[in-house]
Amino acid sequence: MSRTLFDKIWDAHVIRTIEDGPSVLYIDKHLVHEVTSPQAFAGLEKRGIGVARVKNIMATVDHNVPTINQHLPIKDLISRKQVETMETNCKKFGIELYGLGHLYQGIVHVIAPELGITLPGMTLVCGDSHTSTHGAFGTISFGIGTSEVEQVLATQCLLQEKPKQIKIEINGKTSNGVSAKDVILYVISELGTGGATGAFVEFCGSTIRQMSMEERMTVCNMSIEMGARGGLIAPDEITFAYCRNKPFAPKGKKWHAALEYWKTLFTDADATFDKNFSFNAEAVAPMITYGTNPGMGININERIPNHNETSFERSLEYMNFSKGDKLKGKKVNWVFIGSCTNSRIEDLRIVADFVKGKKKAEWVNALIVPGSRGVLMQAQAEGIDQILLEAGFVLREPGCSACLAMNDDKIPAGDYCVSTSNRNFEGRQGPGARTLLASPLMAAAAAVYGEITDVREFLN
Amino acid sequence: MEKFETIISNVVPLPAENIDTDQIIPARFLKATTKEGFGQNLFADWRYHEDGSVVTDFVLNGDRYSGKILLAGKNFGCGSSREHAAWALYDHGFRVVISSYFADIFRSNALNNGLLPVRVSEAFLKQMFRWVEAFPSAKVKVDLHEQTLELLDLGVKKSFEIPPFKKACLLNGQDDMHFLLNLKEEVIEYEKTSKYMQLIN
Ligand code: SF4
């Protein structure tokens, strides 16, 4: 029988299916961080049980850590307690932790791929919705709640109903100045935040095939913003080349065995999906969001549309925009380049390339937070840190930072922030903060010109 | 988890759509390491001014509405996977949320904590908002056994869907863990044939 990529991975992980009920799904990899795990560990202790498979766990701290002076004790006492609780729990249950200062520390969704922990064909979960990121490797990866974190810790399994499947095909070559982030913001603006609710989305087509792994991660990362459980992309030579020689990737004979298996991971030609969409990448221009959900995006030369729903109007009121407004030319005073969507080395290179020899606008605070210690060190090795410094950008230490504003990196109420993150919800970057989602290149241009621009006007 | 009993209660209407978990419980309140106490910060940015004073016209602050049932616009619980959202709603006293659509992770988080998400049609949701807003003292009965929602004074009854496995869990006050812990042997058997285990170990 013809099967999709999703079916193949799913079938290989179902231990059994309950009659009239969910399936027991085996989880290969579990990523754990400090914010959604303490209650799970406490739950294990309360039940008097341990962790089933410490080797299948990767643990780090990212959400609630400062991005300056990570070598010093955390100033915020409640945050410090949460990070210390993580350390205590990992020690108690025998889990290796990539804590602050560790060479491997960083945002869960940045470090697992760059360490070769995320590999094609796996099932991977994390107490974080953007676990969808790892689908870029051809994995079934999805976010879970803390009760489920506890279940996976205790049993390495989850009960899951098999979700619906959607295929999104994107073909064509993107034009200069248009990135993977623009492509996915465009798709979400077309399908809406409910366009893929509850489903797994397979992205395919020539545009996706041409993307690097980091770009594919950006696409899958944001699949959750159209309601999907996760996104996935069939592994190919680009995937294999990326995984080869990563610290935790299989080596030697095992590598060859892995390759052989991974090459079977694709959707059979006559397999069917519950829904199909297709898009033309040539139609995509640099995107920017104007509202308070990621579906409220327009291309930079469009005007804010005219809808009459209360929630739409409320959203514009929060952003202090009006129907029919153009965003181009609007002044901004914050730029945040970071988050598991766009904080990888390729993102930093793009920003550095653009700002080299330029200066940020005086009134802009430009914050760059690399996704991992590894990205930061690579940026330093390439001299990117120097370029950013000269341009007046602030380069921080790794963490989630202003993506969710749990630490001190908050955007003040009322201020506009062009952000490379994934959510522009009310208050997401701090109470009252106004977020405009865009690509790293668009964010870099906003920092330099102090307003929202069409970056293409400044490219050769 | 407590057993889910039949509920008869007033309804608190919150007609906004796409209420994301960042609204339900903003990130800055996620620093706690226990499950308790999130209720006081439920909808914090809508409920309190920046200086901590109460926003008097927010629905949880007035005396017009109260009860164990929250009625919310479509796509409730989208965004971040934080289970703290379900804890906060439960801690505040809610036992049921009614909407025309629930985000996936929120739905399973709610079910894992004895909070029942009841999905109704778009049209019925609108009707309920009109009714509750006109008659704040109106009572609704939620019967999980029968899988019905009843607007008591109106005599209108609607059935709702819930996966049978989850229904049994709620009624017995058991979560998935009870089931999973009994599978140890099967898991070991599975691991012997697992591709991943062979590649990595
Ligand atoms: S960077 Fe933002 S979206 Fe990504 S894991 Fe951290 S908080 Fe979540």
Side-chain angles (χ1 to χ4, degrees):
Chain A
M1 218 185 86
S2 310
R3 293 186 299 166
T4 62
L5 168 62
F6 182 91
D7 293 333
K8 289 179 184 176
I9 306 173
W10 176 270
D11 293 347
H13 288 86
V14 169
I15 295 186
R16 81 145 103 142
T17 299
I18 302 169
E19 209 186 318
D20 258 346
S23 296
V24 180
L25 195 68
Y26 186 84
I27 303 301
D28 293 324
K29 207 78 213 183
H30 186 190
L31 315 182
V32 181
H33 65 83
E34 79 280 20
V35 175
T36 57
S37 69
Q39 294 86 352
F41 284 113
L44 292 184
E45 287 194 88
K46 211 166 134 197
R47 294 179 205 255
I49 49 180
V51 169
R53 303 281 180 272
V54 285
K55 272 190 164 177
N56 299 34
I57 299 173
M58 183 206 83
T60 192
V61 289
D62 55 1
H63 283 65
N64 191 13
V65 300
T67 55
I68 31 176
N69 293 327
Q70 287 188 345
H71 60 289
L72 298 178
I74 300 176
K75 276 205 200 120
D76 179 323
L77 291 182
I78 313 178
S79 300
R80 190 198 294 181
K81 178 161 179 242
Q82 196 171 51
V83 171
E84 285 172 355
T85 304
M86 184 69 179
E87 289 161 2
T88 319
N89 282 329
C90 286
K91 211 172 269 162
K92 214 184 290 175
F93 290 93
I95 299 165
E96 192 186 348
L97 173 68
Y98 305 148
L100 285 183
H102 195 288
L103 225 60
Y104 290 165
Q105 180 265 338
I107 304 174
V108 271
H109 311 310
V110 175
I111 63 175
E114 74 182 12
L115 294 174
I117 288 171
T118 306
L119 295 170
M122 292 182 152
T123 49
L124 180 152
V125 297
C126 173
D128 185 278
S129 55
H130 291 96
T131 310
S132 58
T133 312
H134 309 266
F137 291 78
T139 70
I140 293 185
S141 57
F142 53 95
I144 55 178
T146 299
S147 299
E148 292 165 317
V149 169
E150 188 181 335
Q151 289 157 20
V152 181
L153 287 173
T155 69
Q156 210 53 40
C157 293
L158 277 177
L159 292 176
Q160 290 288 304
E161 306 271 353
K162 191 169 182 190
K164 293 226 175 323
Q165 296 180 52
I166 294 177
K167 174 167 128 180
I168 297 184
E169 187 171 346
I170 310 169
N171 286 307
K173 210 170 145 26
T174 50
S175 52
N176 199 18
V178 175
S179 68
K181 179 66 163 290
D182 298 303
V183 171
I184 188 66
L185 281 172
Y186 171 76
V187 170
I188 300 169
S189 76
E190 290 288 311
L191 298 181
T193 48
T197 23
F200 262 84
V201 175
E202 181 176 343
F203 294 96
C204 58
S206 65
T207 315
I208 301 289
R209 287 285 142 239
Q210 286 154 21
M211 286 182 181
S212 70
M213 283 315 291
E214 297 197 0
E215 292 173 313
R216 293 178 190 183
M217 284 188 248
T218 300
V219 169
C220 287
N221 173 278
M222 289 202 73
S223 57
I224 176 96
E225 306 307 338
M226 48 192 176
R229 277 297 261 149
L232 66 174
I233 293 173
D236 60 10
E237 290 304 327
I238 292 176
T239 323
F240 308 145
Y242 179 95
C243 294
R244 183 171 296 141
N245 297 327
K246 290 276 186 283
F248 292 95
K251 308 263 155 34
K253 263 195 193 145
K254 282 186 177 172
W255 169 259
H256 292 288
L259 260 191
E260 213 171 291
Y261 172 53
W262 293 344
K263 285 181 177 163
T264 66
L265 297 176
F266 54 84
T267 291
D268 297 332
D270 41 359
T272 55
F273 289 81
D274 296 289
K275 261 190 207 165
N276 297 278
F277 297 103
S278 82
F279 296 99
N280 178 1
E282 280 146 42
V284 182
M287 296 287 294
I288 185 115
T289 65
Y290 58 88
T292 56
N293 73 56
M296 299 172 84
I298 45 177
N299 102 35
I300 183 66
N301 290 309
E302 278 173 330
R303 289 175 188 280
I304 294 177
N306 195 346
H307 295 300
N308 289 324
E309 295 120 45
T310 352
S311 51
F312 183 85
E313 285 171 350
R314 201 194 129 94
S315 182
L316 288 192
E317 198 182 307
Y318 180 86
M319 296 298 292
N320 198 23
F321 290 146
S322 307
K323 298 172 188 175
D325 275 4
K326 262 198 164 192
L327 291 190
K328 201 167 137 184
K330 296 241 188 229
K331 220 168 155 171
V332 298
N333 31 15
W334 287 84
V335 166
F336 170 64
I337 294 164
S339 93
C340 55
T341 316
N342 285 119
S343 64
R344 298 183 175 82
I345 191 66
E346 288 176 10
D347 301 313
L348 267 61
R349 282 182 192 139
I350 285 170
V351 173
D353 245 20
F354 185 84
V355 305
K356 192 170 186 174
K358 301 187 180 89
K359 275 241 166 333
K360 70 164 182 69
E362 237 170 76
W363 57 88
V364 171
N365 298 287
L367 188 63
I368 300 208
V369 185
S372 69
R373 185 63 50 189
V375 171
L376 177 59
M377 289 185 345
Q378 181 65 27
Q380 286 162 339
E382 294 179 19
I384 289 175
D385 56 336
Q386 213 45 45
I387 296 173
L388 296 175
L389 194 74
E390 278 160 23
F393 284 58
V394 177
L395 179 64
R396 291 287 185 80
E397 292 179 271
C400 294
S401 179
C403 173
L404 90 166
M406 261 191 95
N407 64 3
D408 286 340
D409 308 342
K410 291 183 177 54
I411 311 303
D415 279 10
Y416 290 103
C417 177
V418 176
S419 175
T420 67
S421 55
N422 43 50
R423 284 186 176 141
N424 50 358
F425 298 154
E426 277 184 32
R428 172 80 178 182
Q429 297 196 289
R434 295 173 172 143
T435 304
L436 304 114
L437 301 176
S439 72
L441 190 56
M442 285 285 281
V448 169
Y449 299 101
E451 58 182 45
I452 297 164
T453 66
D454 183 344
V455 69
R456 292 172 299 185
E457 292 166 15
F458 307 103
L459 299 174
N460 315 321
Chain B
M1 197 166 97
E2 276 173 48
K3 284 185 185 177
F4 188 93
E5 312 279 355
T6 296
I7 281 173
I8 298 177
S9 166
N10 302 118
V11 177
V12 179
L14 196 57
E17 292 181 356
N18 302 312
I19 296 177
D20 56 80
T21 51
D22 271 87
Q23 301 318 316
I24 301 174
I25 183 91
R28 59 185 186 283
F29 300 113
L30 307 188
K31 298 181 182 185
T33 49
T34 59
K35 287 187 186 181
E36 291 75 34
F38 288 103
Q40 64 188 32
N41 292 315
L42 175 66
F43 298 118
D45 288 343
W46 291 345
R47 211 161 139 198
Y48 309 109
H49 293 292
E50 240 173 285
D51 62 6
S53 61
V54 165
V55 177
T56 43
D57 57 359
F58 183 63
V59 67
L60 292 190
N61 293 331
D63 0 305
R64 190 173 163 82
Y65 303 103
S66 64
K68 296 180 179 174
I69 301 175
L70 180 69
L71 184 66
K74 79 162 173 238
N75 200 22
F76 186 81
C78 57
S80 153
S81 61
R82 60 190 70 161
E83 194 162 315
H84 312 67
W87 299 335
L89 288 160
Y90 194 91
D91 194 46
H92 181 83
F94 288 118
R95 294 293 174 267
V96 177
V97 186
I98 303 173
S99 180
S100 56
Y101 190 80
F102 293 95
D104 236 43
I105 306 182
F106 174 79
R107 194 177 49 108
S108 65
N109 285 341
L111 288 166
N112 278 327
N113 286 280
L115 177 69
L116 178 67
V118 173
R119 186 176 174 182
V120 298
S121 72
E122 198 70 41
F124 186 67
L125 188 74
K126 286 218 172 88
Q127 191 190 336
M128 273 196 82
F129 272 118
R130 277 199 301 274
W131 178 64
V132 169
E133 280 161 3
F135 305 103
S137 63
K139 284 216 186 323
V140 168
K141 178 177 171 187
V142 179
D143 187 326
L144 180 57
H145 266 289
E146 277 191 28
Q147 296 181 221
T148 54
L149 180 78
E150 194 176 348
L151 316 189
L152 285 178
D153 313 292
L154 283 183
V156 173
K157 208 176 193 176
K158 289 265 171 197
S159 56
F160 61 85
E161 304 269 325
I162 179 168
F165 183 83
K166 282 289 166 193
K167 177 178 173 179
C169 284
L170 278 178
L171 289 173
N172 299 324
Q174 291 193 335
D175 55 17
D176 293 357
M177 186 76 102
H178 286 86
F179 184 87
L180 290 170
L181 281 173
N182 290 320
L183 300 179
K184 270 202 185 121
E185 297 307 315
E186 268 176 81
V187 172
I188 292 170
E189 275 311 304
Y190 168 83
E191 284 175 337
K192 287 183 190 156
T193 63
S194 147
K195 280 262 185 321
Y196 170 76
M197 287 300 207
Q198 288 161 16
L199 292 179
I200 299 305
N201 295 328

